[in-house]
Protein backbone atom coordinates (compact mmCIF):
# COMPACT_ATOMS: atom_id res chain seq x y z
CA UNK A 1 0.00 0.00 0.00
CA UNK A 2 2.94 2.31 0.56
CA UNK A 3 4.61 4.32 -2.18
CA UNK A 4 7.31 2.25 -3.90
CA UNK A 5 10.63 3.86 -3.00
CA UNK A 6 13.64 4.37 -5.24
CA UNK A 7 16.87 2.53 -4.36
CA UNK A 8 19.79 4.28 -2.67
CA UNK A 9 21.85 3.60 -5.81
CA UNK A 10 19.27 5.57 -7.84
CA UNK A 11 20.48 8.71 -6.04
CA UNK A 12 23.28 10.42 -7.99
CA UNK A 13 26.84 9.28 -7.27
CA UNK A 14 27.74 12.87 -6.35
CA UNK A 15 25.12 12.97 -3.59
CA UNK A 16 26.18 9.58 -2.22
CA UNK A 17 29.83 10.69 -2.20
CA UNK A 18 28.86 13.93 -0.44
CA UNK A 19 27.05 11.90 2.24
CA UNK A 20 30.16 9.78 2.87
CA UNK A 21 32.22 12.95 2.98
CA UNK A 22 29.93 14.60 5.52
CA UNK A 23 30.06 11.46 7.70
CA UNK A 24 33.86 11.30 7.40
CA UNK A 25 33.63 7.59 6.53
CA UNK A 26 33.30 5.37 3.48
CA UNK A 27 30.03 3.50 3.00
CA UNK A 28 30.76 -0.23 2.96
CA UNK A 29 27.23 -1.45 2.30
CA UNK A 30 23.58 -0.52 2.40
CA UNK A 31 20.11 -1.99 2.68
CA UNK A 32 17.20 -0.24 0.95
CA UNK A 33 14.12 0.31 3.11
CA UNK A 34 10.46 0.43 2.15
CA UNK A 35 7.65 2.19 4.00
CA UNK A 36 6.36 5.74 4.15
CA UNK A 37 4.86 8.06 1.60
CA UNK A 38 7.94 9.46 -0.08
CA UNK A 39 9.09 8.07 -3.45
CA UNK A 40 12.72 8.90 -2.57
CA UNK A 41 15.23 6.31 -1.33
CA UNK A 42 15.59 5.42 2.37
CA UNK A 43 18.39 3.09 3.44
CA UNK A 44 20.51 1.72 6.23
CA UNK A 45 24.13 2.61 5.50
CA UNK A 46 27.01 0.65 6.95
CA UNK A 47 30.15 2.69 7.52
CA UNK A 48 33.83 1.79 7.76
CA UNK A 49 33.88 2.83 11.44
CA UNK A 50 31.29 0.13 12.22
CA UNK A 51 28.28 2.42 12.54
CA UNK A 52 24.94 1.83 10.84
CA UNK A 53 23.10 5.06 10.07
CA UNK A 54 19.80 5.96 8.42
CA UNK A 55 19.62 8.05 5.24
CA UNK A 56 16.73 9.34 3.18
CA UNK A 57 17.10 11.38 0.01
CA UNK A 58 14.85 13.24 -2.36
CA UNK A 59 15.08 15.16 -5.61
CA UNK A 60 13.04 18.35 -6.00
CA UNK A 61 12.55 17.30 -9.62
CA UNK A 62 10.75 14.14 -8.52
CA UNK A 63 8.56 15.82 -5.89
CA UNK A 64 9.34 19.31 -4.58
CA UNK A 65 7.08 18.83 -1.54
CA UNK A 66 9.08 15.85 -0.23
CA UNK A 67 12.34 17.69 -0.87
CA UNK A 68 11.05 20.54 1.28
CA UNK A 69 10.01 18.10 4.02
CA UNK A 70 13.52 16.62 4.24
CA UNK A 71 14.97 20.10 4.67
CA UNK A 72 12.36 20.98 7.26
CA UNK A 73 12.95 17.77 9.22
CA UNK A 74 16.67 18.58 9.34
CA UNK A 75 15.87 21.87 11.05
CA UNK A 76 13.35 20.29 13.42
CA UNK A 77 15.73 17.52 14.56
CA UNK A 78 18.27 20.13 15.64
CA UNK A 79 15.66 21.87 17.79
CA UNK A 80 14.70 18.75 19.76
CA UNK A 81 16.14 18.25 23.25
CA UNK A 82 18.11 15.02 23.91
CA UNK A 83 15.28 13.71 26.08
CA UNK A 84 12.87 13.50 23.11
CA UNK A 85 12.74 9.95 21.66
CA UNK A 86 13.93 10.93 18.17
CA UNK A 87 16.89 9.99 15.97
CA UNK A 88 19.77 12.51 16.04
CA UNK A 89 20.71 14.34 12.87
CA UNK A 90 24.21 13.50 11.65
CA UNK A 91 24.32 15.35 8.33
CA UNK A 92 22.25 17.09 5.70
CA UNK A 93 23.71 17.25 2.23
CA UNK A 94 22.49 19.00 -0.91
CA UNK A 95 23.71 18.26 -4.41
CA UNK A 96 21.95 19.75 -7.42
CA UNK A 97 18.21 19.08 -7.06
CA UNK A 98 18.85 16.45 -4.38
CA UNK A 99 18.85 16.61 -0.58
CA UNK A 100 19.85 13.83 1.82
CA UNK A 101 19.32 13.62 5.58
CA UNK A 102 21.40 11.21 7.66
CA UNK A 103 20.40 10.34 11.23
CA UNK A 104 21.30 7.82 13.90
CA UNK A 105 19.83 4.38 13.36
CA UNK A 106 16.72 3.59 15.43
CA UNK A 107 16.58 -0.05 16.50
CA UNK A 108 13.43 -2.03 15.77
CA UNK A 109 11.98 -0.69 12.53
CA UNK A 110 8.24 -0.82 12.81
CA UNK A 111 6.26 -3.93 12.02
CA UNK A 112 3.39 -3.50 9.61
CA UNK A 113 0.69 -3.89 12.24
CA UNK A 114 0.33 -2.69 15.81
CA UNK A 115 0.70 -5.01 18.79
CA UNK A 116 -0.16 -4.28 22.43
CA UNK A 117 3.57 -3.99 23.16
CA UNK A 118 4.23 -1.53 20.33
CA UNK A 119 1.18 0.54 21.30
CA UNK A 120 2.41 0.75 24.91
CA UNK A 121 5.90 1.77 23.78
CA UNK A 122 4.61 4.45 21.40
CA UNK A 123 2.11 5.78 23.97
CA UNK A 124 5.05 6.25 26.34
CA UNK A 125 7.13 7.94 23.62
CA UNK A 126 4.25 10.30 22.78
CA UNK A 127 3.78 11.18 26.46
CA UNK A 128 7.51 11.87 26.83
CA UNK A 129 7.38 14.06 23.73
CA UNK A 130 4.35 16.07 24.78
CA UNK A 131 5.84 16.48 28.24
CA UNK A 132 8.23 18.94 26.58
CA UNK A 133 7.31 22.48 25.80
CA UNK A 134 7.65 22.94 22.02
CA UNK A 135 11.11 24.40 21.31
CA UNK A 136 11.28 27.95 20.06
CA UNK A 137 11.28 27.82 16.26
CA UNK A 138 8.54 25.21 15.80
CA UNK A 139 5.38 26.45 14.12
CA UNK A 140 1.89 26.29 15.69
CA UNK A 141 0.17 23.02 14.77
CA UNK A 142 -2.57 24.91 12.91
CA UNK A 143 0.05 25.28 10.15
CA UNK A 144 0.68 21.51 10.08
CA UNK A 145 -2.94 20.34 9.90
CA UNK A 146 -4.68 20.20 6.54
CA UNK A 147 -8.20 19.65 5.25
CA UNK A 148 -9.86 19.31 8.65
CA UNK A 149 -12.93 20.81 6.94
CA UNK A 150 -13.18 17.55 4.95
CA UNK A 151 -16.60 16.53 6.26
CA UNK A 152 -17.96 20.04 5.64
CA UNK A 153 -16.85 19.71 2.01
CA UNK A 154 -18.45 16.27 1.77
CA UNK A 155 -21.72 17.78 2.99
CA UNK A 156 -21.44 20.63 0.47
CA UNK A 157 -20.66 18.28 -2.43
CA UNK A 158 -23.40 15.84 -1.41
CA UNK A 159 -22.88 12.55 0.49
CA UNK A 160 -21.48 9.65 -1.55
CA UNK A 161 -23.40 6.90 0.30
CA UNK A 162 -25.81 6.15 3.11
CA UNK A 163 -23.21 6.36 5.85
CA UNK A 164 -22.25 9.86 4.75
CA UNK A 165 -25.91 10.86 4.45
CA UNK A 166 -26.38 9.78 8.06
CA UNK A 167 -23.12 10.99 9.64
CA UNK A 168 -21.19 13.55 7.56
CA UNK A 169 -23.18 16.53 8.94
CA UNK A 170 -22.54 15.50 12.54
CA UNK A 171 -18.90 14.76 11.76
CA UNK A 172 -18.53 18.24 10.23
CA UNK A 173 -20.07 19.81 13.34
CA UNK A 174 -17.56 18.04 15.59
CA UNK A 175 -14.62 19.32 13.52
CA UNK A 176 -15.70 22.96 13.83
CA UNK A 177 -13.25 25.13 15.74
CA UNK A 178 -10.31 22.70 15.27
CA UNK A 179 -7.78 25.54 14.87
CA UNK A 180 -8.66 26.62 18.41
CA UNK A 181 -8.95 23.28 20.18
CA UNK A 182 -5.77 21.75 18.68
CA UNK A 183 -3.67 24.75 19.81
CA UNK A 184 -1.18 24.50 22.64
CA UNK A 185 2.45 24.82 23.57
CA UNK A 186 3.39 21.14 23.88
CA UNK A 187 5.84 19.50 21.50
CA UNK A 188 3.82 17.34 19.09
CA UNK A 189 5.13 15.05 16.35
CA UNK A 190 1.86 15.28 14.39
CA UNK A 191 2.48 12.34 12.04
CA UNK A 192 2.27 9.27 14.27
CA UNK A 193 1.82 6.16 12.15
CA UNK A 194 3.21 2.64 12.59
CA UNK A 195 5.76 3.27 9.82
CA UNK A 196 6.94 6.43 11.58
CA UNK A 197 7.92 4.55 14.73
CA UNK A 198 10.64 2.08 15.70
CA UNK A 199 10.05 -0.15 18.71
CA UNK A 200 13.06 -1.82 20.26
CA UNK A 201 11.73 -5.08 21.61
CA UNK A 202 14.88 -5.57 23.71
CA UNK A 203 14.15 -2.45 25.78
CA UNK A 204 10.42 -2.02 25.09
CA UNK A 205 11.03 1.60 24.13
CA UNK A 206 10.02 3.44 20.99
CA UNK A 207 11.71 6.05 18.84
CA UNK A 208 9.46 8.38 16.87
CA UNK A 209 10.67 8.88 13.27
CA UNK A 210 9.98 11.38 10.51
CA UNK A 211 9.72 14.74 12.30
CA UNK A 212 8.89 17.08 9.39
CA UNK A 213 5.45 17.98 10.78
CA UNK A 214 6.48 18.59 14.39
CA UNK A 215 4.79 21.62 15.91
CA UNK A 216 3.51 23.32 19.04
CA UNK A 217 0.06 21.99 19.89
CA UNK A 218 -2.27 20.36 22.37
CA UNK A 219 -0.53 17.67 24.46
CA UNK A 220 -3.08 14.91 23.66
CA UNK A 221 -2.74 15.34 19.89
CA UNK A 222 -0.19 12.58 19.10
CA UNK A 223 -2.14 10.06 21.17
CA UNK A 224 -5.32 10.89 19.23
CA UNK A 225 -3.37 10.47 15.99
CA UNK A 226 -2.02 7.14 17.32
CA UNK A 227 -5.56 5.96 18.13
CA UNK A 228 -6.64 6.70 14.55
CA UNK A 229 -3.60 4.87 13.18
CA UNK A 230 -4.16 1.76 15.31
CA UNK A 231 -7.48 1.35 13.48
CA UNK A 232 -6.30 2.55 10.06
CA UNK A 233 -3.07 0.50 10.03
CA UNK A 234 -4.52 -2.40 12.04
CA UNK A 235 -3.64 -4.60 15.02
CA UNK A 236 -2.02 -8.04 14.86
CA UNK A 237 -5.04 -9.45 16.69
CA UNK A 238 -7.55 -8.06 14.20
CA UNK A 239 -9.95 -5.20 13.58
CA UNK A 240 -12.03 -5.63 16.71
CA UNK A 241 -8.97 -5.44 18.95
CA UNK A 242 -7.71 -2.41 17.00
CA UNK A 243 -11.05 -0.63 17.51
CA UNK A 244 -11.10 -1.53 21.19
CA UNK A 245 -7.51 -0.34 21.83
CA UNK A 246 -8.14 2.92 19.95
CA UNK A 247 -11.42 3.62 21.75
CA UNK A 248 -9.90 2.92 25.16
CA UNK A 249 -6.97 5.22 24.40
CA UNK A 250 -9.31 8.03 23.33
CA UNK A 251 -11.28 7.62 26.56
CA UNK A 252 -8.11 8.49 28.53
CA UNK A 253 -7.82 11.82 26.67
CA UNK A 254 -9.75 15.10 26.72
CA UNK A 255 -12.96 15.17 24.61
CA UNK A 256 -11.18 17.05 21.82
CA UNK A 257 -9.25 13.85 21.02
CA UNK A 258 -12.44 12.23 19.71
CA UNK A 259 -13.15 15.32 17.61
CA UNK A 260 -9.59 15.11 16.25
CA UNK A 261 -10.06 11.50 15.10
CA UNK A 262 -13.35 12.41 13.41
CA UNK A 263 -11.78 15.44 11.66
CA UNK A 264 -8.68 13.46 10.63
CA UNK A 265 -10.90 10.85 8.99
CA UNK A 266 -12.62 13.69 7.12
CA UNK A 267 -9.20 14.81 5.91
CA UNK A 268 -8.43 11.36 4.45
CA UNK A 269 -11.95 11.21 2.98
CA UNK A 270 -11.63 14.50 1.10
CA UNK A 271 -8.02 13.90 0.10
CA UNK A 272 -8.89 10.47 -1.31
CA UNK A 273 -11.29 12.27 -3.63
CA UNK A 274 -8.68 14.65 -5.01
CA UNK A 275 -6.73 13.72 -8.15
CA UNK A 276 -3.85 11.30 -7.66
CA UNK A 277 -0.31 12.50 -7.88
CA UNK A 278 1.59 10.70 -10.63
CA UNK A 279 4.56 9.90 -8.36
CA UNK A 280 2.30 8.69 -5.52
CA UNK A 281 0.07 6.32 -7.52
CA UNK A 282 -1.31 4.37 -4.56
CA UNK A 283 -2.09 7.21 -2.19
CA UNK A 284 -5.82 7.66 -2.97
CA UNK A 285 -6.48 3.94 -2.46
CA UNK A 286 -4.49 4.07 0.80
CA UNK A 287 -6.59 7.01 2.04
CA UNK A 288 -9.88 5.36 1.02
CA UNK A 289 -8.88 2.22 2.90
CA UNK A 290 -8.14 4.30 6.03
CA UNK A 291 -11.58 5.92 5.87
CA UNK A 292 -13.25 2.51 5.44
CA UNK A 293 -11.37 1.10 8.44
CA UNK A 294 -12.14 4.15 10.61
CA UNK A 295 -15.86 4.44 9.93
CA UNK A 296 -17.09 2.19 12.78
CA UNK A 297 -14.90 4.07 15.30
CA UNK A 298 -16.01 7.43 13.91
CA UNK A 299 -19.65 6.33 14.15
CA UNK A 300 -19.11 5.42 17.79
CA UNK A 301 -17.33 8.68 18.60
CA UNK A 302 -20.05 10.74 16.89
CA UNK A 303 -22.77 8.86 18.73
CA UNK A 304 -20.98 9.38 22.08
CA UNK A 305 -20.23 13.01 21.44
CA UNK A 306 -23.40 14.30 19.87
CA UNK A 307 -25.30 13.37 23.02
CA UNK A 308 -22.65 15.03 25.18
CA UNK A 309 -22.14 18.22 23.12
N1 LIG B 1 16.36 6.63 12.13
C1 LIG B 1 15.85 5.54 11.56
N2 LIG B 1 16.35 4.32 11.85
C2 LIG B 1 15.85 3.21 11.27
N3 LIG B 1 14.85 3.20 10.37
C3 LIG B 1 14.29 4.38 10.03
C4 LIG B 1 14.76 5.62 10.62
N4 LIG B 1 14.02 6.63 10.11
C5 LIG B 1 13.15 6.05 9.26
N5 LIG B 1 13.30 4.71 9.20
C6 LIG B 1 12.55 3.76 8.33
O1 LIG B 1 12.52 4.28 7.00
C7 LIG B 1 11.19 4.55 6.56
C8 LIG B 1 11.13 5.88 5.81
O2 LIG B 1 11.62 6.93 6.62
P1 LIG B 1 10.77 8.24 7.00
O3 LIG B 1 9.45 7.85 7.50
O4 LIG B 1 11.62 9.08 7.88
O5 LIG B 1 10.69 9.00 5.63
P2 LIG B 1 9.56 9.20 4.57
O6 LIG B 1 8.91 7.89 4.31
O7 LIG B 1 10.22 9.85 3.44
O8 LIG B 1 8.53 10.14 5.18
P3 LIG B 1 6.95 10.05 4.96
O9 LIG B 1 6.50 8.77 5.58
O10 LIG B 1 6.42 11.25 5.64
O11 LIG B 1 6.80 10.08 3.48
C9 LIG B 1 10.35 4.56 7.84
O12 LIG B 1 9.04 4.14 7.55
C10 LIG B 1 11.11 3.60 8.75
O13 LIG B 1 10.70 2.26 8.53
MG1 LIG C 1 7.56 8.19 7.20
Amino acid sequence: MFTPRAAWTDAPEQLRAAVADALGCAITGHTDLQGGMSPGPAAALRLTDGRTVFVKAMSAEVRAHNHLLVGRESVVLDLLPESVPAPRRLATVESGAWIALVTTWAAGAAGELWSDASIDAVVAACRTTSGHRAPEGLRPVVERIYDFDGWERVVAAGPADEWEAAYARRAADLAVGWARWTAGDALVHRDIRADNTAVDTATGSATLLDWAYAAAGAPWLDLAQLAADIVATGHMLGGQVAADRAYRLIQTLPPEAARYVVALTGMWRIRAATPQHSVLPTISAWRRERVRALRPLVTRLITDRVGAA
Side-chain angles (χ1 to χ4, degrees), residues 20-300:
D21 239 26
L23 293 169
C25 270
I27 298 165
T28 56
H30 74 274
T31 307
D32 285 315
L33 304 172
Q34 291 298 328
M37 294 296 127
S38 167
L45 301 182
R46 288 177 292 284
L47 309 180
T48 42
D49 66 2
R51 278 183 298 167
T52 296
V53 297
F54 171 77
V55 67
K56 62 179 173 185
M58 192 63 207
S59 163
E61 285 163 4
V62 175
R63 195 160 187 253
H65 178 66
N66 292 92
H67 183 280
L68 179 146
L69 291 180
V70 174
R72 200 162 79 194
E73 183 176 2
S74 296
V75 174
V76 168
L77 289 179
D78 287 357
L79 295 173
L80 301 180
E82 280 285 325
S83 45
V84 173
R88 304 295 147 210
R89 189 179 74 87
L90 299 173
T92 305
V93 169
E94 292 199 55
S95 171
W98 283 78
I99 186 168
L101 166 63
V102 187
T103 70
T104 51
W105 182 254
E112 284 194 357
L113 297 175
W114 289 101
S115 65
D116 285 350
S118 67
I119 292 170
D120 287 350
V122 173
V123 164
C126 290
R127 288 198 199 283
T128 301
T129 299
S130 67
H132 292 77
R133 201 187 165 85
E136 202 68 37
L138 287 193
R139 307 299 302 165
V141 77
V142 64
E143 295 178 24
R144 299 288 181 258
I145 290 176
Y146 312 93
D147 297 320
F148 263 30
D149 61 350
W151 291 124
E152 199 60 62
R153 285 153 64 190
V154 167
V155 170
D161 59 24
E162 275 179 28
W163 187 92
E164 289 185 352
Y167 291 103
R169 177 69 265 155
R170 287 183 274 174
D173 290 346
L174 284 178
V176 167
W178 61 269
R180 177 177 38 78
W181 50 255
T182 56
D185 61 7
L187 170 61
V188 297
H189 174 283
R190 225 303 281 130
D191 198 16
I192 300 294
R193 288 197 312 248
D195 62 288
N196 283 341
T197 66
V199 178
D200 185 349
T201 43
T203 62
S205 64
T207 306
L208 306 182
L209 311 172
D210 207 356
W211 283 82
Y213 292 97
W220 49 263
L221 196 143
D222 285 337
L223 291 173
Q225 189 104 21
L226 168 62
D229 192 70
I230 293 168
V231 172
T233 290
H235 191 289
M236 288 169 71
L237 301 177
Q240 194 51 52
V241 172
D244 170 64
R245 298 296 185 269
Y247 188 75
R248 273 174 23 196
L249 178 55
I250 293 165
Q251 298 315 298
T252 69
L253 305 174
E256 289 76 21
R259 301 176 73 179
Y260 188 88
V261 172
V262 171
L264 188 65
T265 307
M267 175 203 77
W268 280 314
R269 163 63 180 85
I270 205 69
R271 292 192 145 196
T274 58
Q276 304 215 353
H277 196 287
S278 58
V279 294
L280 301 176
T282 57
I283 200 158
S284 285
W286 179 83
R287 287 170 174 155
R288 261 196 306 279
E289 174 52 26
R290 305 212 122 203
V291 175
R292 191 202 58 73
L294 279 159
R295 268 189 181 184
L297 176 65
V298 168
T299 308
R300 189 171 181 188

